[in-house]
Amino acid sequence: MIKYSKILFIMSFIFFSRVEAKEEISRVVYFNHLFGHVHKNPSRYSQSLSTIECGHPVKIVKEKGNEILSGNYFKVKVGPYLGYIDRIYLSNKKEKCISDKYPKFFNSLNLSISEMYYWGKLNDQYVQGESKVQ
């Protein structure tokens, strides 16, 4: 019995002590849309790790001296989550959000966490840009 507990202890130590690459923070930017998501992969259809709202600070991660950019997505750290956010949703300075401009109105909406999640998912599905049709 003691032999098995020692083996289990050693295996758990190996599993939990694996060495991961150290991420370095490049800069802090701000989320500039009403609600959005930190995604697991650099895709709008990817699993959401966390929902964030306008004005939330986002740390851009860099490895080996370069910011990580996959397509239009920056690798970011938000709280304990390491994921991806589309660069069009980030700005260098904190913008005045609707929740800042009209706090009484925004607070009276009493949005639940699931409603914020779905607002963020809706925001992910919008295609932004100019039409090339003449």
Side-chain angles (χ1 to χ4, degrees):
M1 182 69 179
I2 294 174
K3 191 181 273 187
Y4 291 118
S5 63
K6 286 182 181 179
I7 292 172
L8 183 62
F9 174 74
I10 291 171
M11 289 181 68
S12 65
F13 180 75
I14 291 170
F15 179 75
F16 289 114
S17 67
R18 65 177 195 225
V19 178
E20 294 185 14
K22 177 90 171 125
E23 293 91 16
E24 191 177 328
I25 304 304
S26 168
R27 58 192 166 116
V28 176
V29 294
Y30 298 93
F31 191 76
N32 62 15
H33 279 68
L34 186 58
F35 294 106
H37 292 277
V38 178
H39 293 281
K40 186 174 183 177
N41 298 312
S43 167
R44 72 169 83 183
Y45 306 111
S46 173
Q47 177 184 355
S48 299
L49 299 175
S50 180
T51 301
I52 57 177
E53 67 177 295
C54 184
H56 197 285
V58 174
K59 298 173 185 172
I60 295 182
V61 174
K62 71 176 182 177
E63 288 178 359
K64 301 174 189 162
N66 296 323
E67 291 180 347
I68 299 168
L69 186 65
S70 179
N72 286 332
Y73 285 80
F74 279 115
K75 188 169 187 182
V76 297
K77 184 165 179 66
V78 178
Y81 302 106
L82 190 62
Y84 296 88
I85 297 180
D86 195 331
R87 69 192 308 172
I88 63 170
Y89 299 132
L90 302 174
S91 61
N92 289 326
K93 61 181 184 175
K94 188 173 179 181
E95 297 181 13
K96 196 84 165 157
C97 303
I98 189 170
S99 58
D100 297 333
K101 290 180 185 176
Y102 308 106
K104 286 185 180 180
F105 169 74
F106 191 76
N107 291 338
S108 71
L109 294 175
N110 293 325
L111 296 174
S112 68
I113 292 178
S114 61
E115 290 171 327
M116 292 180 204
Y117 171 84
Y118 286 115
W119 274 105
K121 275 298 194 190
L122 177 66
N123 199 24
D124 281 340
Q125 301 311 311
Y126 287 139
V127 177
Q128 299 178 359
E130 296 180 9
S131 173
K132 297 183 180 175
V133 177
Q134 293 183 354

